[in-house]
Amino acid sequence: MNHFFVKIKCLLNTLFFLFLCSSSVSAQDIVWANKNNIDKRTNFTKVIGQNKHGVYVLKHKNSTFKKYFIVEQFDKRMNLLRSKTFKINNAQLEKIVVQNDGLIVFTKVYEKNNSKKLMMNTIDSNLIEKNGVLLVGEQAMGNNSSIRIYYNKTKSKLLVNVFAEKGNNTSLNYYLIESNLLTHSGQTNLNFKYSDLYIGEGIIDEQGNLHQLLSQSDKFKSKNAADFFHFLYSLNTKTNVANERLINDRNTFISNYQLIDNEVSNEVIAIGFYGNRYEDENKGYFYVKIDGKTHQVKENQFIEIDRAIVSQIIGLKNEQKGESINKFTIKKLIPKIDGGLIVISERAFVTTQSDIFYVNGVPQSSYARIFNNDEVLIFSLNTQGQTEWHHIINKNQSSINDGGYYNGIIVMVNDADFNILYNDRLSVNADIIQVTFNEKGETTKKVLLNNEQYFALLIPSEYKQVNANSVVIPINQNRDYTYIKLIY
């Protein structure tokens, strides 16, 4: 097997797991959870991870996670072991992370004087909660603040970041947690007003350093590129030394971006789409690479998307008129062992439709929000950010007033390939499609679950890859909710 992608460490040592890791990458075992054991009281579900004690799912009536949250624990064959409701009065769940022996939970608590604090708790493998500790006090939180919590790939390190208003600046208080203990904390200032700051994607590397994408503007509703500044901010949490670098110029719109830490090459890469005429234009992509140790820039490029690719998506006539693709969002970055990168993006946008109808001769108006998820565009980049190969998956998903619940894609990454899954139609007549890619961009496509037998729809926003060879996905089967686990 060619180890093309950075290897995800296996958590199990059993012979069964070793067999699965070495079996053919083109096949997978589909494990169904028992629908009769699923909690029906909640509307929002999120798979949060797996450890040696099983698979964990987070549930709530919506995605706010105020006052309570529910954790369901399954064994690795998706049999429900236990379910428990955790009450958090006057509080909101900020983050829950599955670790080797249990869960670590962060909750934001609201005090009577409108102040806030952040608590850290642990939950063991039997879903028994232990006494929490105060991690961030009221003074660091402030009235206007935002919390970001990141963890490394092994989840051995977590970094809690609190961005808070501080006059004309923004304070950043950070807390490094190792083995569920606070080992280091610090404070620094950003030279931006908190009200002018948008906090984008962030990561921590294996040394516990912060890398954060930030946008600054005092005119966020402006349509002028010169009013927006996008930065890659890196902070050494041990020395409290920060570096920031401007990504765009005054003529460039940045629509979306993501960060990735390549452990093999010890490099951090920021990549996203840019345009010159309007915010959603995807004329090309920027590629910024920094050294993971020194935080010095190694690559900084703006690369225009090949016009032949543009023509494949929008058609030859529109391409010849000078039009560009637009509204693509990066869904996943996959680091390659040679220092390159796979970029998976999807065209997604929302439109509004209005209709006039008459009731007893009186005109009435109705409005509908239409959620669209169309083509998937995939790039394989070399170490300089140049495109080695690309692929387009043509699909057309459209739904009304449902938040795009069944729209989108699921990405499953193995050592030697990756898979993209999606619902080919958004109805009970849907087939679930799987497209598999190898290192050269060669693909195979198949129906994973057919509509005639399963009547199933994936819920892409709630899935999680839980280890090196399996992914757990919430699914609507014949109007009833359950889960499937795909073992590759």
Side-chain angles (χ1 to χ4, degrees), residues 132-405:
V133 297
L134 176 65
L135 184 65
V136 185
E138 300 173 13
Q139 186 174 0
M141 295 284 285
N143 290 327
N144 295 315
S145 60
S146 299
I147 300 170
R148 298 291 188 274
I149 302 172
Y150 307 126
Y151 51 82
N152 63 351
K153 288 183 174 63
T154 61
K155 301 179 184 177
S156 60
K157 294 183 176 70
L158 296 97
L159 189 67
V160 177
N161 308 282
V162 180
F163 297 85
E165 185 176 40
K166 188 178 180 181
N168 289 324
N169 295 326
T170 298
S171 68
L172 170 56
N173 288 273
Y174 55 91
Y175 308 83
L176 183 62
I177 298 163
E178 300 174 272
S179 300
N180 293 350
L181 296 174
L182 177 64
T183 60
H184 185 74
S185 63
Q187 192 273 333
T188 188
N189 289 325
L190 306 177
N191 296 319
F192 311 117
K193 290 180 65 175
Y194 179 80
S195 59
D196 295 346
L197 192 63
Y198 173 77
I199 304 167
E201 294 285 333
I203 59 172
I204 63 167
D205 58 28
E206 290 304 310
Q207 290 72 45
N209 298 319
L210 171 67
H211 304 280
Q212 184 75 57
L213 289 164
L214 301 170
S215 299
Q216 184 271 332
S217 178
D218 58 359
K219 302 174 182 177
F220 273 112
K221 294 184 179 180
S222 171
K223 297 186 181 299
N224 186 354
D227 292 327
F228 297 88
F229 302 92
H230 303 272
F231 297 88
L232 173 56
Y233 176 86
S234 296
L235 174 68
N236 186 318
T237 58
K238 301 295 174 56
T239 64
N240 205 36
V241 174
N243 290 294
E244 63 182 47
R245 53 201 54 81
L246 183 66
I247 294 174
N248 64 313
D249 59 32
R250 297 179 66 84
N251 298 311
T252 306
F253 290 96
I254 302 292
S255 56
N256 68 89
Y257 34 46
Q258 282 196 18
L259 282 170
I260 192 75
D261 177 25
N262 192 324
E263 290 179 298
V264 174
S265 62
N266 197 17
E267 296 167 331
V268 175
I269 300 170
I271 190 166
F273 291 113
Y274 75 88
N276 295 130
R277 294 181 295 177
Y278 55 94
E279 185 177 6
D280 293 329
E281 181 187 30
N282 306 137
K283 183 177 181 180
Y285 57 88
F286 70 84
Y287 181 88
V288 179
K289 179 195 294 182
I290 64 172
D291 186 284
K293 292 182 178 179
T294 66
H295 297 175
Q296 297 302 307
V297 176
K298 299 176 72 172
E299 295 283 346
N300 188 3
Q301 298 191 63
F302 278 68
I303 300 169
E304 186 170 345
I305 296 173
D306 189 286
R307 297 302 292 179
I309 299 175
V310 175
S311 177
Q312 287 180 264
I313 296 174
I314 65 174
L316 180 60
K317 288 185 178 181
N318 288 325
E319 188 277 324
Q320 290 176 340
K321 293 178 183 177
E323 297 296 322
S324 298
I325 60 175
N326 58 32
K327 296 181 172 62
F328 275 85
T329 300
I330 295 176
K331 307 297 288 187
K332 184 80 172 180
L333 300 179
I334 308 172
K336 299 191 295 187
I337 200 166
D338 64 0
L341 191 65
I342 297 290
V343 182
I344 302 173
S345 64
E346 181 186 33
R347 189 168 189 259
F349 58 98
V350 181
T351 56
T352 302
Q353 177 179 297
S354 61
D355 290 307
I356 303 294
F357 61 96
Y358 290 85
V359 177
N360 296 327
V362 179
Q364 307 285 330
S365 299
S366 68
Y367 297 89
R369 286 171 59 82
I370 303 173
F371 295 84
N372 304 277
N373 292 70
D374 294 337
E375 298 92 349
V376 177
L377 175 58
I378 302 161
F379 295 105
S380 177
L381 308 182
N382 63 18
T383 55
Q384 287 77 46
Q386 301 291 333
T387 300
E388 295 178 321
W389 56 261
H390 79 279
H391 189 89
I392 300 168
I393 298 176
N394 290 301
K395 67 178 180 66
N396 190 322
Q397 297 172 321
S398 181
S399 60
I400 300 175
N401 292 338
D402 66 348
Y405 195 54

Side-chain angles (χ1 to χ4, degrees), residues 405-437:
Y405 195 54
Y406 300 107
N407 297 11
I409 59 174
I410 287 169
V411 182
M412 168 67 200
V413 184
N414 288 320
D415 287 346
D417 60 18
F418 64 92
N419 303 275
I420 293 179
L421 298 91
Y422 59 93
N423 302 307
D424 73 331
R425 292 182 300 276
L426 303 180
S427 69
V428 294
N429 296 318
D431 289 330
I432 294 175
I433 304 298
Q434 175 175 285
V435 185
T436 301
F437 294 79

Side-chain angles (χ1 to χ4, degrees), residues 64-109:
T64 61
F65 290 103
K66 290 183 177 179
K67 297 184 179 181
Y68 75 95
F69 61 91
I70 298 170
V71 175
E72 289 183 331
Q73 182 185 13
F74 298 81
D75 67 16
K76 290 170 186 174
R77 302 300 294 181
M78 297 310 295
N79 299 302
L80 184 65
L81 298 176
R82 53 184 63 89
S83 177
K84 186 172 181 179
T85 299
F86 296 89
K87 294 185 178 180
I88 47 172
N89 295 327
N90 301 316
Q92 181 175 7
L93 181 67
E94 279 289 327
K95 192 82 169 182
I96 184 166
V97 180
V98 177
Q99 298 181 306
N100 287 338
D101 291 311
L103 312 176
I104 184 167
V105 179
F106 299 89
T107 53
K108 181 166 62 178
V109 180

Side-chain angles (χ1 to χ4, degrees), residues 1 19-29 414 417 487-488:
M1 181 181 290
F19 170 76
L20 289 176
C21 283
S22 62
S23 63
S24 170
V25 298
S26 63
Q28 63 274 147
D29 183 20
N414 288 320
D417 60 18
I487 305 172
Y488 289 77

